[in-house]
Amino acid sequence: MATAREAYGTPSDEELHVLAVDDSYVDRKVIERLLKVSACKVTTVESGIRALQYLGLDGRKSSVDFDALKVNLIMTDYSMPGMTGYELLKKIKESSAFREIPVVIMSSENILTRIDRCLEEGAEEYIVKPVKLSDVRRLKEFIIKGELEENSKRRHQKRKQREEDDDKPSSSSSFPTKQREEDDDKLSSSSSPTKQREEDDDKLSSSSSSSSPTSLSYSQPPADDASTSEPSSSLSSPCSPAELPLSSLLSPVKRSKFLSRD
């Protein structure tokens, strides 16, 4: 049955690889022994320049295949000739390939300003010599925990990326609909003057239609005029006044007197 470490892809004890850098032969042997007791793989070099050569950061081809021999931790002495541990730390943190590797500074001097400078530059820890077995075990636990957290973070990022990729088609398919709605709104706003003119024309038409009966009523002749026009039509008949009887030309009173005289 796979352990939790193997399930999460954390390197086993045999795969945990530490690069130890120290110009003192005695200190190198002490660190190597403590790391091997803790079941770690150890590579020791005597200077910061040799460490850069081993990692391939000196501008030349690395002496080993880094992908096949992964380094999980770098422990370096601070005071070394040629290149100090602080300068080696800066070189490693400037590298995009190695900046994530934890770097621990070791020194026999407990100088506060030096400690602060190393931690600000990216050192994981500052250990005062002599290095003890408890220090190595604590670092080992730190590496394992860091690997677990890194793998968990990596899985979370992959899962989030997959979710974003799944959401992309739906969001892209809804984009044309949204674009069409925006275009329709623009078209509607641009046609508003035409709509206003149509409304004005409707108002003008309704006002003119409401005033038309009044104009028609004045154009029609009054009923009385029509009645008075009938005698004029009768007067315009072919009969002249000379042809009419005299009695018809007299008023009713005179006509009665005229007839009684006859």
Side-chain angles (χ1 to χ4, degrees):
M1 183 176 179
T3 63
R5 237 179 252 173
E6 293 171 349
Y8 285 103
T10 305
S12 62
D13 293 342
E14 291 77 20
E15 294 175 339
L16 202 60
H17 184 202
V18 180
L19 174 62
V21 186
D22 203 314
D23 62 317
S24 172
Y25 175 80
V26 176
D27 289 345
R28 284 202 308 272
K29 287 300 179 180
V30 171
I31 295 170
E32 182 178 3
R33 187 168 181 271
L34 292 174
L35 290 170
K36 286 184 177 181
V37 168
S38 302
C40 295
K41 186 180 295 183
V42 187
T43 299
T44 60
V45 293
E46 69 277 7
S47 66
I49 296 174
R50 287 287 296 143
L52 292 179
Q53 291 175 353
Y54 181 82
L55 297 174
L57 295 177
D58 61 338
R60 301 177 183 178
K61 185 177 177 59
S62 175
S63 58
V64 295
D65 185 359
F66 183 78
D67 293 331
L69 194 61
K70 181 180 179 181
V71 175
N72 303 105
L73 175 65
I74 297 174
M75 299 180 66
T76 178
D77 184 33
Y78 184 89
S79 300
M80 294 185 296
M83 176 180 288
T84 65
Y86 177 75
E87 293 171 340
L88 176 61
L89 170 66
K90 291 181 64 176
K91 290 286 186 181
I92 293 171
K93 294 305 178 181
E94 290 172 358
S95 170
S96 59
F98 300 101
R99 66 174 57 149
E100 299 300 327
I101 298 178
V103 179
V104 175
I105 303 295
M106 303 175 293
S107 177
S108 58
E109 298 175 320
N110 189 7
I111 302 175
L112 185 59
T113 55
R114 179 183 295 180
I115 296 172
D116 291 340
R117 185 170 60 167
C118 292
L119 294 178
E120 289 175 359
E121 192 61 37
E124 297 296 332
E125 194 167 342
Y126 187 100
I127 297 176
V128 179
K129 291 181 179 181
V131 180
K132 299 179 288 292
L133 182 61
S134 59
D135 296 328
V136 174
R137 288 177 177 174
R138 178 164 43 83
L139 292 174
K140 181 181 176 182
E141 291 176 359
F142 168 78
I143 295 171
I144 294 174
K145 183 180 178 181
E147 290 287 342
L148 289 172
E149 292 177 352
E150 184 64 26
N151 290 332
S152 177
K153 186 186 298 183
R154 193 178 297 111
R155 287 194 307 274
H156 176 71
Q157 290 176 349
K158 287 182 180 180
R159 183 166 60 252
K160 186 177 181 181
Q161 184 64 37
R162 285 196 300 268
E163 291 175 356
E164 290 177 355
D165 293 340
D166 293 340
D167 294 340
K168 280 181 181 178
S170 59
S171 61
S172 61
S173 61
S174 63
F175 176 74
T177 304
K178 185 177 181 181
Q179 185 65 33
R180 284 197 298 271
E181 292 176 356
E182 293 178 354
D183 294 340
D184 293 340
D185 293 339
K186 290 180 181 179
L187 182 60
S188 175
S189 61
S190 63
S191 61
S192 58
T194 304
K195 186 176 180 180
Q196 184 65 34
R197 286 197 299 272
E198 292 177 355
E199 292 177 355
D200 295 340
D201 293 341
D202 292 340
K203 290 180 181 178
L204 181 61
S205 175
S206 60
S207 61
S208 61
S209 61
S210 62
S211 62
S212 59
T214 305
S215 61
L216 290 174
S217 63
Y218 284 105
S219 64
Q220 292 177 356
D224 295 340
D225 294 341
S227 61
T228 54
S229 63
E230 290 178 358
S232 63
S233 62
S234 62
L235 291 175
S236 61
S237 61
C239 297
S240 62
E243 296 176 354
L244 292 176
L246 181 61
S247 60
S248 62
L249 299 175
L250 298 175
S251 63
V253 177
K254 290 182 179 183
R255 186 169 53 247
S256 61
K257 288 181 181 183
F258 180 79
L259 291 177
S260 61
R261 188 188 310 156
D262 292 339

PDB file of all heavy atoms in Angstrom, residues 30-50:
ATOM      1  N   VAL A  30      31.208  16.466   8.744  1.00  0.00           N
ATOM      2  CA  VAL A  30      30.177  16.460   9.793  1.00  0.00           C
ATOM      3  C   VAL A  30      28.787  16.557   9.182  1.00  0.00           C
ATOM      4  O   VAL A  30      27.860  15.806   9.539  1.00  0.00           O
ATOM      5  CB  VAL A  30      30.438  17.604  10.795  1.00  0.00           C
ATOM      6  CG1 VAL A  30      29.256  17.741  11.760  1.00  0.00           C
ATOM      7  CG2 VAL A  30      31.717  17.353  11.574  1.00  0.00           C
ATOM      8  N   ILE A  31      28.608  17.494   8.265  1.00  0.00           N
ATOM      9  CA  ILE A  31      27.294  17.677   7.625  1.00  0.00           C
ATOM     10  C   ILE A  31      26.920  16.431   6.821  1.00  0.00           C
ATOM     11  O   ILE A  31      25.764  15.973   6.855  1.00  0.00           O
ATOM     12  CB  ILE A  31      27.319  18.931   6.720  1.00  0.00           C
ATOM     13  CG1 ILE A  31      27.531  20.192   7.570  1.00  0.00           C
ATOM     14  CG2 ILE A  31      26.017  19.047   5.932  1.00  0.00           C
ATOM     15  CD1 ILE A  31      27.805  21.427   6.754  1.00  0.00           C
ATOM     16  N   GLU A  32      27.902  15.878   6.111  1.00  0.00           N
ATOM     17  CA  GLU A  32      27.625  14.688   5.309  1.00  0.00           C
ATOM     18  C   GLU A  32      27.165  13.535   6.195  1.00  0.00           C
ATOM     19  O   GLU A  32      26.215  12.817   5.847  1.00  0.00           O
ATOM     20  CB  GLU A  32      28.886  14.296   4.538  1.00  0.00           C
ATOM     21  CG  GLU A  32      28.698  13.102   3.622  1.00  0.00           C
ATOM     22  CD  GLU A  32      29.966  12.783   2.851  1.00  0.00           C
ATOM     23  OE1 GLU A  32      31.003  13.451   3.078  1.00  0.00           O
ATOM     24  OE2 GLU A  32      29.926  11.860   2.007  1.00  0.00           O
ATOM     25  N   ARG A  33      27.824  13.360   7.322  1.00  0.00           N
ATOM     26  CA  ARG A  33      27.450  12.265   8.215  1.00  0.00           C
ATOM     27  C   ARG A  33      26.057  12.462   8.799  1.00  0.00           C
ATOM     28  O   ARG A  33      25.244  11.530   8.875  1.00  0.00           O
ATOM     29  CB  ARG A  33      28.472  12.161   9.344  1.00  0.00           C
ATOM     30  CG  ARG A  33      28.281  10.944  10.244  1.00  0.00           C
ATOM     31  CD  ARG A  33      29.498  10.754  11.135  1.00  0.00           C
ATOM     32  NE  ARG A  33      29.348   9.575  11.977  1.00  0.00           N
ATOM     33  CZ  ARG A  33      28.778   9.576  13.176  1.00  0.00           C
ATOM     34  NH1 ARG A  33      28.310  10.708  13.678  1.00  0.00           N
ATOM     35  NH2 ARG A  33      28.710   8.462  13.898  1.00  0.00           N
ATOM     36  N   LEU A  34      25.730  13.672   9.214  1.00  0.00           N
ATOM     37  CA  LEU A  34      24.406  13.941   9.781  1.00  0.00           C
ATOM     38  C   LEU A  34      23.297  13.720   8.743  1.00  0.00           C
ATOM     39  O   LEU A  34      22.231  13.184   9.065  1.00  0.00           O
ATOM     40  CB  LEU A  34      24.355  15.382  10.305  1.00  0.00           C
ATOM     41  CG  LEU A  34      25.220  15.702  11.528  1.00  0.00           C
ATOM     42  CD1 LEU A  34      25.166  17.194  11.832  1.00  0.00           C
ATOM     43  CD2 LEU A  34      24.792  14.884  12.748  1.00  0.00           C
ATOM     44  N   LEU A  35      23.542  14.110   7.524  1.00  0.00           N
ATOM     45  CA  LEU A  35      22.542  13.938   6.469  1.00  0.00           C
ATOM     46  C   LEU A  35      22.354  12.466   6.118  1.00  0.00           C
ATOM     47  O   LEU A  35      21.221  12.011   5.882  1.00  0.00           O
ATOM     48  CB  LEU A  35      22.949  14.737   5.230  1.00  0.00           C
ATOM     49  CG  LEU A  35      22.863  16.273   5.380  1.00  0.00           C
ATOM     50  CD1 LEU A  35      23.515  16.956   4.194  1.00  0.00           C
ATOM     51  CD2 LEU A  35      21.412  16.722   5.520  1.00  0.00           C
ATOM     52  N   LYS A  36      23.449  11.711   6.107  1.00  0.00           N
ATOM     53  CA  LYS A  36      23.325  10.288   5.779  1.00  0.00           C
ATOM     54  C   LYS A  36      22.622   9.518   6.895  1.00  0.00           C
ATOM     55  O   LYS A  36      21.871   8.585   6.624  1.00  0.00           O
ATOM     56  CB  LYS A  36      24.701   9.705   5.508  1.00  0.00           C
ATOM     57  CG  LYS A  36      25.270  10.129   4.156  1.00  0.00           C
ATOM     58  CD  LYS A  36      26.600   9.449   3.869  1.00  0.00           C
ATOM     59  CE  LYS A  36      27.116   9.826   2.484  1.00  0.00           C
ATOM     60  NZ  LYS A  36      28.406   9.170   2.164  1.00  0.00           N
ATOM     61  N   VAL A  37      22.868   9.937   8.132  1.00  0.00           N
ATOM     62  CA  VAL A  37      22.146   9.323   9.253  1.00  0.00           C
ATOM     63  C   VAL A  37      20.648   9.566   9.113  1.00  0.00           C
ATOM     64  O   VAL A  37      19.816   8.726   9.479  1.00  0.00           O
ATOM     65  CB  VAL A  37      22.678   9.876  10.599  1.00  0.00           C
ATOM     66  CG1 VAL A  37      21.760   9.478  11.753  1.00  0.00           C
ATOM     67  CG2 VAL A  37      24.081   9.372  10.862  1.00  0.00           C
ATOM     68  N   SER A  38      20.290  10.710   8.576  1.00  0.00           N
ATOM     69  CA  SER A  38      18.881  11.048   8.343  1.00  0.00           C
ATOM     70  C   SER A  38      18.366  10.499   7.022  1.00  0.00           C
ATOM     71  O   SER A  38      17.279  10.902   6.568  1.00  0.00           O
ATOM     72  CB  SER A  38      18.704  12.568   8.374  1.00  0.00           C
ATOM     73  OG  SER A  38      19.128  13.108   9.600  1.00  0.00           O
ATOM     74  N   ALA A  39      19.123   9.595   6.409  1.00  0.00           N
ATOM     75  CA  ALA A  39      18.704   8.922   5.165  1.00  0.00           C
ATOM     76  C   ALA A  39      18.544   9.903   4.014  1.00  0.00           C
ATOM     77  O   ALA A  39      17.580   9.829   3.233  1.00  0.00           O
ATOM     78  CB  ALA A  39      17.411   8.140   5.389  1.00  0.00           C
ATOM     79  N   CYS A  40      19.461  10.838   3.894  1.00  0.00           N
ATOM     80  CA  CYS A  40      19.468  11.781   2.785  1.00  0.00           C
ATOM     81  C   CYS A  40      20.651  11.495   1.869  1.00  0.00           C
ATOM     82  O   CYS A  40      21.702  11.039   2.325  1.00  0.00           O
ATOM     83  CB  CYS A  40      19.558  13.218   3.298  1.00  0.00           C
ATOM     84  SG  CYS A  40      18.140  13.775   4.268  1.00  0.00           S
ATOM     85  N   LYS A  41      20.458  11.780   0.599  1.00  0.00           N
ATOM     86  CA  LYS A  41      21.562  11.699  -0.358  1.00  0.00           C
ATOM     87  C   LYS A  41      22.340  13.005  -0.295  1.00  0.00           C
ATOM     88  O   LYS A  41      21.743  14.090  -0.290  1.00  0.00           O
ATOM     89  CB  LYS A  41      21.012  11.455  -1.752  1.00  0.00           C
ATOM     90  CG  LYS A  41      22.066  11.206  -2.802  1.00  0.00           C
ATOM     91  CD  LYS A  41      21.408  10.970  -4.152  1.00  0.00           C
ATOM     92  CE  LYS A  41      20.589   9.700  -4.133  1.00  0.00           C
ATOM     93  NZ  LYS A  41      19.994   9.398  -5.460  1.00  0.00           N
ATOM     94  N   VAL A  42      23.664  12.934  -0.264  1.00  0.00           N
ATOM     95  CA  VAL A  42      24.472  14.132  -0.040  1.00  0.00           C
ATOM     96  C   VAL A  42      25.502  14.293  -1.166  1.00  0.00           C
ATOM     97  O   VAL A  42      26.133  13.329  -1.596  1.00  0.00           O
ATOM     98  CB  VAL A  42      25.215  14.054   1.314  1.00  0.00           C
ATOM     99  CG1 VAL A  42      25.905  15.389   1.593  1.00  0.00           C
ATOM    100  CG2 VAL A  42      24.261  13.689   2.430  1.00  0.00           C
ATOM    101  N   THR A  43      25.656  15.539  -1.609  1.00  0.00           N
ATOM    102  CA  THR A  43      26.739  15.930  -2.501  1.00  0.00           C
ATOM    103  C   THR A  43      27.462  17.098  -1.845  1.00  0.00           C
ATOM    104  O   THR A  43      26.824  18.103  -1.498  1.00  0.00           O
ATOM    105  CB  THR A  43      26.216  16.335  -3.886  1.00  0.00           C
ATOM    106  OG1 THR A  43      25.542  15.234  -4.485  1.00  0.00           O
ATOM    107  CG2 THR A  43      27.357  16.786  -4.779  1.00  0.00           C
ATOM    108  N   THR A  44      28.770  16.984  -1.649  1.00  0.00           N
ATOM    109  CA  THR A  44      29.547  18.046  -0.995  1.00  0.00           C
ATOM    110  C   THR A  44      30.516  18.674  -1.985  1.00  0.00           C
ATOM    111  O   THR A  44      31.120  17.986  -2.801  1.00  0.00           O
ATOM    112  CB  THR A  44      30.325  17.484   0.209  1.00  0.00           C
ATOM    113  OG1 THR A  44      31.221  16.460  -0.231  1.00  0.00           O
ATOM    114  CG2 THR A  44      29.372  16.929   1.250  1.00  0.00           C
ATOM    115  N   VAL A  45      30.623  19.999  -1.899  1.00  0.00           N
ATOM    116  CA  VAL A  45      31.597  20.753  -2.696  1.00  0.00           C
ATOM    117  C   VAL A  45      32.281  21.740  -1.765  1.00  0.00           C
ATOM    118  O   VAL A  45      31.730  22.123  -0.722  1.00  0.00           O
ATOM    119  CB  VAL A  45      30.942  21.485  -3.883  1.00  0.00           C
ATOM    120  CG1 VAL A  45      30.408  20.502  -4.918  1.00  0.00           C
ATOM    121  CG2 VAL A  45      29.818  22.407  -3.405  1.00  0.00           C
ATOM    122  N   GLU A  46      33.505  22.203  -2.159  1.00  0.00           N
ATOM    123  CA  GLU A  46      34.316  23.004  -1.254  1.00  0.00           C
ATOM    124  C   GLU A  46      34.201  24.503  -1.451  1.00  0.00           C
ATOM    125  O   GLU A  46      34.821  25.264  -0.696  1.00  0.00           O
ATOM    126  CB  GLU A  46      35.792  22.587  -1.382  1.00  0.00           C
ATOM    127  CG  GLU A  46      36.448  22.958  -2.705  1.00  0.00           C
ATOM    128  CD  GLU A  46      36.159  21.942  -3.816  1.00  0.00           C
ATOM    129  OE1 GLU A  46      35.339  21.030  -3.594  1.00  0.00           O
ATOM    130  OE2 GLU A  46      36.753  22.085  -4.905  1.00  0.00           O
ATOM    131  N   SER A  47      33.447  24.972  -2.421  1.00  0.00           N
ATOM    132  CA  SER A  47      33.348  26.422  -2.646  1.00  0.00           C
ATOM    133  C   SER A  47      32.038  26.767  -3.352  1.00  0.00           C
ATOM    134  O   SER A  47      31.367  25.906  -3.943  1.00  0.00           O
ATOM    135  CB  SER A  47      34.527  26.920  -3.488  1.00  0.00           C
ATOM    136  OG  SER A  47      34.459  26.374  -4.793  1.00  0.00           O
ATOM    137  N   GLY A  48      31.718  28.066  -3.314  1.00  0.00           N
ATOM    138  CA  GLY A  48      30.528  28.539  -4.018  1.00  0.00           C
ATOM    139  C   GLY A  48      30.674  28.419  -5.521  1.00  0.00           C
ATOM    140  O   GLY A  48      29.695  28.143  -6.229  1.00  0.00           O
ATOM    141  N   ILE A  49      31.881  28.619  -6.030  1.00  0.00           N
ATOM    142  CA  ILE A  49      32.111  28.492  -7.477  1.00  0.00           C
ATOM    143  C   ILE A  49      31.878  27.062  -7.936  1.00  0.00           C
ATOM    144  O   ILE A  49      31.274  26.822  -8.982  1.00  0.00           O
ATOM    145  CB  ILE A  49      33.535  28.960  -7.820  1.00  0.00           C
ATOM    146  CG1 ILE A  49      33.671  30.449  -7.497  1.00  0.00           C
ATOM    147  CG2 ILE A  49      33.851  28.705  -9.290  1.00  0.00           C
ATOM    148  CD1 ILE A  49      35.072  30.990  -7.669  1.00  0.00           C
ATOM    149  N   ARG A  50      32.362  26.079  -7.128  1.00  0.00           N
ATOM    150  CA  ARG A  50      32.146  24.674  -7.468  1.00  0.00           C
ATOM    151  C   ARG A  50      30.656  24.329  -7.408  1.00  0.00           C
ATOM    152  O   ARG A  50      30.162  23.534  -8.204  1.00  0.00           O
ATOM    153  CB  ARG A  50      32.922  23.790  -6.501  1.00  0.00           C
ATOM    154  CG  ARG A  50      34.427  23.797  -6.723  1.00  0.00           C
ATOM    155  CD  ARG A  50      34.804  23.006  -7.977  1.00  0.00           C
ATOM    156  NE  ARG A  50      34.448  21.604  -7.809  1.00  0.00           N
ATOM    157  CZ  ARG A  50      33.970  20.839  -8.793  1.00  0.00           C
ATOM    158  NH1 ARG A  50      33.751  21.363  -9.989  1.00  0.00           N
ATOM    159  NH2 ARG A  50      33.696  19.573  -8.572  1.00  0.00           N
TER     160      ARG A  50
END
